Amino acid sequence: MPCVKIALVGSAPSSVQKAPYGDTSWRIWSCSPGAYPFVKRCDAHFEVHPWELDKPWFSPDYVKWLAQQPAVYMIEPVPQLPNSIAYPKDEMLLRFAPYSAAFMTSSLSWMFALAITQGATEIGLWGVDMAAQDEWLWQKPGCLFWIAHARHL
């Protein structure tokens, strides 16, 4: 069985730049407008937030960067990004039921679920500290659930 290594890259400054960008044995999956200036290589980016171009995090530079990526997973594809792909949300929720919906608390949760279904034999985290209050209170439990679930598999 071939080794499938997927690096999940967030935006935490402590390690976002340390992801294995130069090692082509890793697929690089990134998320967050805060990560894009540091991501040196990206196989897929996850932008699962509502597509609201009036929000400050959807800067023209970020949107331009998204358009240059080979794949952008979104809840719904948008015409501005011909490389956008509908994230298989319903499939993931069914596959990992009954608990999955409660633990889909961040982009990383959705990334973990897809990595597992794509046969990842190794999942690494870079740029993921879960240190901000919103992350700590709400997103970290989901991230820990998916780490535990992936390790169990």
Side-chain angles (χ1 to χ4, degrees), residues 108-151:
L108 282 166
S109 297
W110 296 106
M111 293 163 76
F112 260 111
L114 191 61
I116 290 167
T117 64
Q118 290 194 0
T121 54
E122 191 170 342
I123 299 172
L125 297 171
W126 286 269
V128 179
D129 287 357
M130 296 291 170
Q133 186 174 4
D134 286 349
E135 293 172 334
W136 181 260
L137 294 174
W138 180 248
Q139 297 177 8
K140 186 175 182 178
C143 191
L144 291 174
F145 168 83
W146 287 103
I147 291 169
H149 189 66
R151 291 187 78 183

Side-chain angles (χ1 to χ4, degrees), residues 43-129:
D43 297 298
H45 187 78
F46 289 71
E47 184 46 76
V48 296
H49 300 98
W51 186 251
E52 300 171 331
L53 294 178
D54 61 328
K55 300 294 183 189
W57 53 86
F58 283 113
S59 70
D61 288 341
Y62 178 53
V63 173
K64 181 180 176 183
W65 182 85
L66 288 172
Q68 296 169 352
Q69 301 316 303
V72 179
Y73 282 96
M74 306 181 78
I75 297 302
E76 296 290 332
V78 296
Q80 296 94 328
L81 301 176
N83 55 346
S84 59
I85 302 166
Y87 181 90
K89 178 183 173 188
D90 293 337
E91 178 186 332
M92 294 301 114
L93 291 173
L94 281 173
R95 176 161 180 176
F96 295 105
Y99 307 109
S100 59
F103 292 103
M104 292 303 196
T105 58
S106 69
S107 299
L108 282 166
S109 297
W110 296 106
M111 293 163 76
F112 260 111
L114 191 61
I116 290 167
T117 64
Q118 290 194 0
T121 54
E122 191 170 342
I123 299 172
L125 297 171
W126 286 269
V128 179
D129 287 357

Side-chain angles (χ1 to χ4, degrees), residues 3-58:
C3 182
V4 177
K5 300 189 296 186
I6 300 177
L8 306 184
V9 179
S11 61
S14 61
S15 60
V16 65
Q17 295 183 48
K18 296 177 182 180
Y21 301 114
D23 183 345
T24 57
S25 70
W26 283 89
R27 294 182 197 165
I28 305 294
W29 289 5
S30 60
C31 67
S32 175
Y36 89 91
F38 307 103
V39 174
K40 297 176 182 102
R41 175 174 69 85
C42 180
D43 297 298
H45 187 78
F46 289 71
E47 184 46 76
V48 296
H49 300 98
W51 186 251
E52 300 171 331
L53 294 178
D54 61 328
K55 300 294 183 189
W57 53 86
F58 283 113

